Amino acid sequence: MEPEDLTDPDLKAAIAASLRDLHDNGADPVDEPQQNVVDLTAESDDDEVIPVFPKSKSVIGSDTDADEDGGDVEDEDNEDEDLKRAIALSLQDSEDTEKNSPDPSHGNKEHGPPPETESSAADRAPSQPSGLLGLNRKQMEEERLARIAKRKADDVEAIDHRQAKYSKNESNQLARQSSSGLVSTEYASKIGVPQARYESAKSKPDLPNPSRTPAVQFPKGVVKKTYAHYRPRTGDDITIEEVFQSSDLELAVLSSFLWDMEWLFSKIDTKRTRFLLVMQAKDELTKRQYEAETASMSNLRLCFPPMEGQVNCMHSKLMLLFHPRYLRIVGPTANLTPYDWGEMGGVMENSAFLIDLPRKATTTAVGSKTAFEEDLVYFLRASTLHDNIISRFDEYDFSQTSHIMLVHTIGGSHTGNAWRRTGYCGLGRAVNALGLRTSKPINIDFVTSSIGSLTDEFLRSIYLASQGDDGITDFTLRTSKTFPARNPNDTDQLIHKNTAEEWKDRFRVYFPSQTTIEQSQGGPDCAGTICFQSRWYESPKFPRHVLRDCKSRRPGLLMHNKILFMRPDEPIRLPNNALCQGWAYVGSANLSESAWGRLVQDKTTKQPKLNCRNWECGVLVPVLDRADSSDKVSNNISGKGANESADMLDVFKGTVPVPMTVPGQRYGPGLKPWFF
């Protein structure tokens, strides 16, 4: 170690942490229990659930220092023996961990260990909390020592144990290369990328790729597929580095269900950027554990959305990326793991919505808010994100969000008027707010990575919401004892028992078959986040006729996308005479009642109450004024249902990349879904 290393603030902080471990008695800091700031499960007569926000637990203030405080280590810089002992212990712990780690007897070795199962992790009962998803003081110290050594030594692998773990095979070595994705033709054929397709795409890119250089690139919003290693760039994909644009990233508000902290912090300059991580923690013990483990990190704070009662999963993946000149909002379907962002062998794909909002020239006059901004604030306040972050929205221009809507699910029970704003009721409200409501038949193609216990009633509720219904029609169809029944929203309107019955011919669900998973590049061992239970499929109430095999348009990739494609039989004319050819929801919500909620009758008030078990977030993106595809919409219609054809989703070209091949094969004898 060089003498000048002792002045490095990261190293000093790491050494201080180790020395405190050596001299302390092992007592962990104990914080006072945090007050339950939002009760979304209590039944209430109030119109809305009113959240109350703490002032310190989940805030990264604008005056937070980006660098860690090194004041505690000034008296320890010259204690060479303690320094050597601390470093030796840290490295020894790392070596012991690697030596004692069992070598997995299963899994595709070419692509590394399989990702954790989302459904099993969500259902896991809280017990003794483990480390913050692998983020602990000794690991952080090791990583910082490795970064110091990387600047000083030519042979990085001898010291950087993190890189060694990812470099055990040829696939993972290539996965750590630059995001250009260019590999040899020989290796491309080895992993299943057709040679002719690879070479032609390499020499003739369709569109310019997004850039890592910070700039307002997507002022009106865009949907991209996640990049996959060893696959050609075609202009409609994006890497995690291009999402973060980390060179001037000041504050990153990140949400995820699954986390790989080591990988995440390798993508962002942790000295420059401050972090607020929105995480799942069902019980208070886990929250206190996570807070204690990150207490020494002055540039990182945690936020825990309320998960009382029936709420079991914080599944939102929303990102807020604050740059000096703009705010980037990202609504991905991907977790913050290398698998989901196309690394570790490039076996998985996802989708992401992005929009860049420029900073206003002046913030003295606050204009009217768009519906997108209002719903974003509503969702973040329910999540208990601190107001000093939300108030920063006034610094940015949201005017280009007037044509899109945020669609979210807030975990808990919602009464009064609050049930209309979230879940599938919120989806219907969003459709109506954009002027896209229709009483005519529509067509739905839903690609999902997880399927719940579907029923005819649930799929009908999603169909009605996609027409612009706020949930009350579905609620009436399920609760009324006589028909026709009067619509509670409009007593002059009658709801007939056969309302929306046409959904059965117009709703398709895309989920991979056992064969598709087995023939994928990653294989079954990499499909742990693609979930469906056989007992649901075999239930007599399960609508099997809607299922289609889901295969990626990039052959061999597993799919973790969650997209609802809606197409009307005829374009919908908006008040400004623009034509809407269809719209898509892109976000975290799979096709399940947990993700979208269920509207029931409150036993006490006899009024509607929406129960939601998950936190979810996505964006509704309309396809406007595409005259070149209007004929295709009409030509694809035949009789009472839309024909399934290879071009039936072409109206989304240039707006939302369609990840799956269509038409999808129906399930039947010889073809069964993937069960996990």
Side-chain angles (χ1 to χ4, degrees):
M1 177 172 293
E2 300 294 335
E4 59 265 32
D5 290 342
L6 298 179
T7 64
D8 185 276
D10 282 344
L11 178 61
K12 290 165 69 177
I15 293 170
S18 283
L19 292 175
R20 284 195 297 271
D21 283 345
L22 291 174
H23 296 296
D24 290 348
N25 293 324
D28 292 330
V30 178
D31 295 336
E32 295 181 1
Q34 181 177 349
Q35 180 183 1
N36 292 336
V37 294
V38 179
D39 184 3
L40 292 177
T41 61
E43 297 178 359
S44 171
D45 293 331
D46 295 338
D47 287 346
E48 295 185 6
V49 179
I50 306 298
V52 179
F53 305 101
K55 293 296 184 183
S56 61
K57 291 297 183 182
S58 61
V59 55
I60 296 181
S62 58
D63 56 348
T64 302
D65 292 335
D67 296 330
E68 293 190 2
D69 183 6
D72 293 338
V73 298
E74 289 182 0
D75 296 334
E76 299 164 346
D77 285 348
N78 296 323
E79 296 179 14
D80 292 342
E81 292 301 318
D82 283 346
L83 168 64
K84 293 177 182 178
R85 187 181 177 196
I87 295 173
L89 283 174
S90 177
L91 296 178
Q92 182 64 46
D93 286 338
S94 175
E95 292 171 359
D96 291 344
T97 299
E98 288 193 2
K99 289 178 181 178
N100 296 331
S101 297
D103 186 20
S105 58
H106 64 282
N108 191 326
K109 294 183 179 180
E110 184 178 358
H111 305 296
E116 183 179 357
T117 305
E118 287 192 65
S119 60
S120 62
D123 296 336
R124 188 181 301 127
S127 55
Q128 293 296 326
S130 59
L132 181 52
L133 306 172
L135 178 63
N136 55 57
R137 186 182 298 162
K138 291 180 180 178
Q139 178 179 335
M140 289 167 56
E141 178 185 347
E142 177 191 341
E143 293 171 4
R144 287 173 181 159
L145 289 171
R147 286 199 296 270
I148 297 297
K150 190 173 183 179
R151 294 200 300 264
K152 301 296 181 181
D154 293 329
D155 187 7
V156 180
E157 294 181 357
I159 298 177
D160 191 347
H161 298 281
R162 295 176 302 143
Q163 184 167 341
K165 286 190 289 184
Y166 283 122
S167 304
K168 292 180 179 179
N169 53 61
E170 180 182 16
S171 172
N172 289 340
Q173 286 175 343
L174 288 168
R176 295 182 67 85
Q177 293 178 355
S178 71
S179 62
S180 64
L182 300 182
V183 297
S184 66
T185 304
E186 178 183 358
Y187 195 78
S189 61
K190 184 187 299 184
I191 64 171
V193 179
Q195 178 174 338
R197 178 180 176 182
Y198 169 80
E199 290 176 342
S200 62
K202 175 182 174 182
S203 58
K204 298 180 181 179
D206 295 333
L207 295 169
N209 290 322
S211 173
R212 299 186 186 190
T213 303
V216 176
Q217 291 186 298
F218 311 119
K220 296 182 181 296
V222 69
V223 178
K224 297 283 187 181
K225 295 186 292 187
T226 55
Y227 165 73
H229 273 294
Y230 321 126
R231 303 300 175 116
R233 304 299 301 271
T234 56
D236 62 352
D237 62 352
I238 194 166
T239 68
I240 190 66
E241 292 88 354
E242 292 162 349
V243 170
F244 286 149
Q245 297 182 321
S246 62
S247 63
D248 72 347
L249 181 59
E250 296 177 335
L251 170 62
V253 180
L254 306 175
S255 312
S256 186
F257 178 68
L258 299 178
W259 302 76
D260 186 326
M261 295 296 186
E262 179 181 336
W263 170 83
L264 172 62
F265 290 149
S266 74
K267 302 295 183 181
I268 301 178
D269 184 350
T270 55
K271 291 183 180 180
R272 172 189 295 272
T273 304
R274 292 172 288 122
F275 297 88
L276 194 148
L277 308 184
V278 183
M279 309 183 73
Q280 170 170 315
K282 176 73 173 175
D283 60 282
E284 291 299 316
L285 185 61
T286 303
K287 295 178 185 178
R288 301 290 81 77
Q289 175 84 9
Y290 289 174
E291 289 172 344
E293 290 176 351
T294 58
S296 63
M297 302 177 66
S298 63
N299 64 334
L300 185 147
R301 297 291 184 271
L302 305 178
C303 174
F304 304 111
M307 296 190 65
E308 292 87 354
Q310 64 187 315
V311 186
N312 287 318
C313 184
M314 208 305 293
H315 200 246
S316 168
K317 294 149 177 58
L318 179 68
M319 301 182 192
L320 305 175
L321 306 175
F322 291 86
H323 295 263
R325 293 176 296 163
Y326 61 99
L327 165 64
R328 170 167 287 185
I329 299 175
V330 188
T333 68
N335 290 296
L336 285 170
T337 64
Y339 278 98
D340 278 16
W341 287 93
E343 300 184 17
M344 299 297 288
V347 299
M348 184 81 72
E349 74 169 306
N350 276 275
S351 302
F353 169 85
L354 306 93
I355 190 168
D356 296 330
L357 309 178
R359 185 183 289 273
K360 295 177 182 177
T362 176
T363 58
T364 54
V366 179
S368 60
K369 290 180 170 58
T370 64
F372 178 91
E373 182 181 3
E374 289 178 346
D375 280 319
L376 178 61
V377 169
Y378 183 83
F379 177 72
L380 294 176
R381 283 183 172 158
S383 304
T384 70
L385 191 71
H386 201 279
D387 262 339
N388 79 325
I389 293 180
I390 297 174
S391 64
R392 293 188 61 179
F393 291 164
D394 291 338
E395 302 172 16
Y396 300 93
D397 183 0
F398 276 78
S399 61
Q400 294 299 319
T401 65
S402 60
H403 67 292
I404 58 176
M405 287 291 289
L406 193 79
V407 178
H408 52 68
T409 298
I410 296 173
S413 294
H414 307 273
T415 57
N417 285 326
W419 60 266
R420 301 178 190 271
R421 298 199 64 170
T422 196
Y424 75 90
C425 302
L427 172 63
R429 173 178 172 271
V431 171
N432 195 40
L434 290 178
L436 304 178
R437 184 183 181 96
T438 180
S439 59
K440 297 180 180 179
I442 60 173
N443 306 283
I444 293 179
D445 294 88
F446 200 130
V447 54
T448 180
S449 63
S450 179
I451 295 180
S453 181
L454 304 183
T455 63
D456 285 1
E457 287 183 350
F458 172 72
L459 293 183
R460 183 183 62 193
S461 70
I462 298 297
Y463 180 88
L464 284 165
S466 299
Q467 286 183 314
D469 184 74
D470 65 358
I472 203 66
T473 299
D474 164 68
F475 178 77
T476 303
L477 287 170
R478 287 189 285 108
T479 59
S480 180
K481 297 180 180 179
T482 60
F483 290 95
R486 295 195 179 276
N487 187 332
N489 291 339
D490 182 1
T491 55
D492 292 333
Q493 180 186 3
L494 295 179
I495 298 176
H496 296 273
K497 192 173 184 178
N498 63 349
T499 298
E501 237 180 25
E502 72 276 5
W503 76 264
K504 296 179 181 179
D505 299 312
R506 295 173 171 270
F507 203 130
R508 288 164 292 277
V509 179
Y510 297 81
F511 186 83
S513 65
Q514 176 81 22
T515 302
T516 295
I517 295 292
E518 290 174 348
Q519 294 178 352
S520 69
Q521 182 179 321
D525 289 335
C526 291
T529 55
I530 302 174
C531 309
F532 188 23
Q533 295 189 29
S534 59
R535 63 187 177 94
W536 293 338
Y537 181 70
E538 293 164 0
S539 168
K541 292 186 176 181
F542 190 92
R544 297 188 185 185
H545 71 280
V546 303
L547 285 188
R548 303 290 187 272
D549 192 6
C550 188
K551 295 184 178 181
S552 174
R553 294 194 176 191
R554 293 183 282 183
L557 287 188
L558 295 170
M559 299 179 62
H560 193 251
N561 315 76
K562 305 126 177 58
I563 308 178
L564 188 164
F565 294 97
M566 191 289 289
R567 293 172 295 124
D569 283 1
E570 299 292 339
I572 300 171
R573 187 170 296 278
L574 303 181
N576 62 358
N577 285 327
L579 293 177
C580 176
Q581 309 288 353
W583 55 259
Y585 162 88
V586 181
S588 66
N590 284 299
L591 189 57
S592 69
E593 191 175 279
S594 296
W596 291 99
R598 178 175 175 82
L599 194 63
V600 299
Q601 187 177 66
D602 189 290
K603 294 180 180 179
T604 303
T605 66
K606 307 302 180 183
Q607 296 300 310
K609 178 176 71 173
L610 183 68
N611 292 327
C612 302
R613 293 190 288 272
N614 289 7
W615 287 81
E616 309 280 1
C617 189
V619 179
L620 192 157
V621 182
V623 180
L624 300 174
D625 291 329
R626 288 187 56 82
D628 59 327
S629 60
S630 60
D631 292 338
K632 293 180 181 179
V633 175
S634 299
N635 292 339
N636 280 339
I637 304 304
S638 176
K640 63 179 181 178
N643 289 335
E644 298 181 52
S645 61
D647 63 352
M648 66 182 187
L649 298 180
D650 281 0
V651 295
F652 294 97
K653 281 185 177 179
T655 304
V656 180
V658 177
M660 72 286 193
T661 59
V662 291
Q665 183 178 353
R666 293 175 180 264
Y667 283 90
L671 188 69
K672 66 176 183 179
W674 161 255
F675 297 126
F676 191 85

